[in-house]
Amino acid sequence: MKIGMVCYPTLGGSGVVATELGKWLAEMGHEVHFITYNTPVRLGGVRPNVFYHEVIISDYPLFDYPPYELVLTSKIVEVARDHKLDILHVHYAIPHASAGLMAKKIIAEDGAELPLITTLHGTDITLLGKSPAFEPVISFCINKSDAVTAVSEDLKKDTYKLFGVNREMDVIPNFICPSNYDVSPNEEFRKQIAPKGQPIITHVSNFRPVKRIIDVVEIYALVLEEIDARLLLVGDGPERCAAELRCRELGIESKVTFLGKVTNPIETLKVSDLFLLPSNAESFGLAALEAMASGVPVISSNAGGIPELNKKGVSGFLRNVGDVQGMAEDAIQILESPESLNRFKMGAKKHSDTFRSELVLPKYLALYIQVLNGRN
Ligand code: GMT
């Protein structure tokens, strides 16, 4: 099968999911064409059956806003025609679903078919998509795609609630590729973060308000009153300065490392003992699944799709959004003895097995085949 894969090439979970899915399909012998504006960060080196087509937007003085969606649409059409794509799979509705739909219509003029699969990832529905600026287009694209998937039951439910959608949707959860976790922890790095072997509490995100970074800092400060732990913050974004300021106000800045963006967060998770994800909203929480697969228990909110992933008392604990005190108590309970920490580490690792790529990814392939066989 020849598959066009449209995604954001950045560190965000939707790009990671698209990239790992594309790599797996290529290993299965399918030809995968990534279409986006930069090489997807998780693509790694050259591999058989994988191709990348860059969407290049030229600067033109008339444009205050470069028309990325149009250029992307033309690139999809070009790749579909040149490589005879069988199917197009777009990740993140805005603007990929509408670009995909327009490309499909253009290809139809050639007398060819380009079935369109749209995967919804979260903020394309729960934050941006529902705003009047996007809603009519997103509703239309969801209704007109040949198949639509959501990464959690909760996201599917929200999509029905927020949009005028009455079509069938499949839930295919996010996944982990076990081989990505076959790496030994970097002991030198661990020592740099926690010189006396203190437990390391980690958070990985794009530091947007939805992630509640200040809660992360405050949970850690409460834990620190009981346990000499260290905080490792991975990523960057709009809330970073506020988080740095809060650390200084609390006088804990020497115990907190702001690492910035890294291309492979698994290396940071491998040296971690506990992961914090107190988000306001999270359709799935791929970062938490990556933590679990690294053997790191998760303290999270119970927002969105997180309860479909984090199992209370097994892989970690969940509390209401904003319950900083409760999350700190749960963190202390996990970290307070080596026995408890080991039990949760094993529980997290074992539970992450439910989301192994070999169990999840065939569902995408089965969906492609159904669509090609004429399912609407
Ligand atoms: O948070 C974002 O807007 C980024 C977005 C992305 O593209 O990575 O994250 C969403 O998709 C991830 C992959 O499916 C999910 O694991 C995240 O939970 C989801 N983020 C939110 O719902 C806030």
Side-chain angles (χ1 to χ4, degrees), residues 7 27 60 80 84 88 116 133 149 158 192-194 215 240 308 315 344 349:
C7 64
E27 269 167 35
Y60 187 68
K84 309 269 176 295
L88 180 69
L116 172 67
T149 75
D158 271 349
Q192 199 188 13
I193 306 297
D215 283 10
R240 177 170 172 169
E308 295 171 45
S315 55
F344 276 95
K349 177 86 187 149

Side-chain angles (χ1 to χ4, degrees), residues 33 35 53 75-85:
H33 293 263
I35 306 169
H53 306 267
K75 184 56 82 178
I76 296 171
V77 170
E78 176 195 314
V79 175
R81 281 177 176 155
D82 290 354
H83 297 274
K84 309 269 176 295
L85 292 184

Side-chain angles (χ1 to χ4, degrees), residues 7 15 21 28 62 65 77 80 113 131 135 171 195 204 234 246 263 265 270 281 287 294 304 339 351-352 356 367:
C7 64
L21 168 62
M28 296 289 119
L62 189 63
Y65 307 101
V77 170
E113 276 203 42
S131 93
E135 189 279 327
V171 173
V204 181
V234 184
R246 191 72 188 116
T263 46
K270 279 283 176 177
S294 307
E339 294 73 32
H351 186 55
S352 75
R356 283 199 324 265
L367 181 65

